[in-house]
Amino acid sequence: MASKRESSSVFTVILALGANVLVAIAKTIAAALTGSASMVAEAAHSWADSGNEIFLLQAERSAARPRDSAHPGGYGRESYVWSLFAAVGLFTAGAVVSIMHGVSELGSNEREADYAIAYGVLAVSFVFEGISFLQSYRQAHKLASERGTSTVEHVLSTSNPTLRAVFAEDSAALIGLVIAFAGILLHQLTGQAVYDALGSILVGVLLAVVAVVLIDRNRRFLLGEQAPERARQALLARILAHPEVEKVTYLHLEFVGPERLFVVAAIDLAGDDRESAVAADLAAVEADLERDEHITEVVLTLSRPGAEALLPDAAQ
């Protein structure tokens, strides 16, 4: 299951990369031919997205490396580092360039644009970006349905940074195309190039907002994001299902990579076995839990005397 999901994420990124490169080339040619500020912003946006997909592919590759003696927790968190680079790249190469170009074009005597070329490229771009968005949406919607949450909620909370980045970038790309279309259309209808420049600025602001959200999410996971309550409750029930376990008094789940958890728990074992038997029971429970594809490592310890037991929601 994990390998299938990783393959799905890689396919989503590769599809987005192919679409963005084709769209970036088309927008660059259109920007050169039309001189449209909005089209320049869109070209910068697509080139920034194309570069970001390279970072996201590296994120997928890094996260898939198995843990070793140098990194006992695995390499999962490295995916957040590369995704953070991608988000910063979106901000600098996309947002800053678009806003600066738009501001520089305010009040300028921009030559009359070739609107047919601009509209044609925007339409083709919308199709390619739409195909990429549908793939990321399908992946996000499927995972959200499995967890019983909305698609948007899953995208914002998921521990998979590449899925979140592609979904966010594709969404921003479609919105940016609409903004660019509106700016060019108003330029054509009014003869005022200021609307085209404002379109470039708005595209830049949109990219800045998306980049800041992505940067913040990756920062949170790098610092150590706790798993959602539903995952905590599921694992608590699974630990209590072991006949050796009488109660759980402490449980900590922390993401160490995309859909990878590090687990620390304090448990009270049934009976009053000798120390050697206790150690064997703890090791057996740890080994069983680590068979779960989503769990990287489990550390169990004995509860303090008198510690209050944690109860599953159904028992509370």
Side-chain angles (χ1 to χ4, degrees):
M1 181 68 71
S3 60
K4 289 183 179 179
R5 288 179 177 174
E6 289 166 3
S7 298
S8 180
S9 293
V10 171
F11 176 74
T12 299
V13 176
I14 291 176
L15 181 62
L17 174 60
N20 281 321
V21 169
L22 292 174
V23 168
I25 293 173
K27 287 178 181 177
T28 301
I29 295 173
L33 293 176
T34 64
S36 166
S38 293
M39 194 58 72
V40 171
E42 278 298 302
H45 178 183
S46 292
W47 283 118
D49 282 352
S50 300
N52 291 346
E53 309 307 337
I54 303 298
F55 286 125
L56 296 180
L57 285 174
Q58 180 60 40
E60 285 291 316
R61 178 176 176 273
S62 298
R65 296 170 63 186
R67 58 178 180 163
D68 51 35
S69 58
H71 297 84
Y75 292 84
R77 279 199 174 104
E78 193 173 347
S79 64
Y80 302 121
V81 175
W82 289 105
S83 298
L84 182 63
F85 289 162
V88 172
L90 180 66
F91 183 86
T92 56
V96 173
V97 170
S98 298
I99 292 174
M100 290 181 61
H101 182 73
V103 171
S104 68
E105 292 297 317
L106 287 174
S108 66
N109 295 319
E110 186 177 341
R111 63 184 173 85
E112 191 73 8
D114 189 328
Y115 300 108
I117 293 177
Y119 293 144
V121 169
L122 289 177
V124 171
S125 299
F126 198 90
V127 171
F128 279 105
E129 296 286 8
I131 292 173
S132 178
F133 173 77
L134 286 176
Q135 168 59 24
S136 61
Y137 177 84
R138 280 194 294 265
Q139 184 183 355
H141 181 70
K142 179 181 178 181
L143 295 173
S145 298
E146 292 175 1
R147 290 162 173 75
T149 64
S150 69
T151 302
V152 174
E153 181 183 354
H154 175 72
V155 169
L156 291 175
S157 63
T158 181
S159 60
N160 186 336
T162 56
L163 174 60
R164 177 169 40 251
V166 174
F167 186 95
E169 290 174 4
D170 286 345
S171 301
L174 293 175
I175 297 172
L177 288 170
V178 174
I179 294 173
F181 171 79
I184 295 172
L185 179 62
L186 288 173
H187 180 191
Q188 180 182 13
L189 294 177
T190 65
Q192 300 294 319
V194 65
Y195 292 109
D196 201 3
L198 287 174
S200 178
I201 294 172
L202 288 176
V203 169
V205 171
L206 171 66
L207 297 182
V209 171
V210 171
V212 168
V213 171
L214 293 177
I215 289 170
D216 179 66
R217 292 306 297 153
N218 283 293
R219 178 189 66 83
R220 289 174 179 267
F221 279 100
L222 281 171
L223 290 175
E225 183 90 345
Q226 288 202 52
E229 183 61 23
R230 61 179 178 276
R232 187 172 182 272
Q233 287 295 323
L235 187 61
L236 175 60
R238 183 174 171 185
I239 295 174
L240 290 172
H242 284 81
E244 305 96 329
V245 179
E246 185 171 288
K247 66 178 181 179
V248 178
T249 60
Y250 175 81
L251 183 60
H252 174 78
L253 285 71
E254 182 179 318
F255 282 108
V256 291
E259 300 187 28
R260 296 291 186 272
L261 290 167
F262 171 65
V263 179
V264 178
I267 65 176
D268 190 7
L269 296 173
D272 191 18
D273 293 336
R274 297 174 57 186
E275 184 177 340
S276 58
V278 169
D281 287 342
L282 290 177
V285 176
E286 288 175 346
D288 179 66
L289 295 176
E290 288 177 356
R291 292 191 184 97
D292 190 315
E293 63 186 8
H294 300 299
I295 296 178
T296 297
E297 185 178 8
V298 178
V299 177
L300 298 181
T301 186
L302 295 177
S303 301
R304 297 191 308 272
E308 185 176 349
L310 300 178
L311 300 175
D313 282 343
Q316 292 181 358

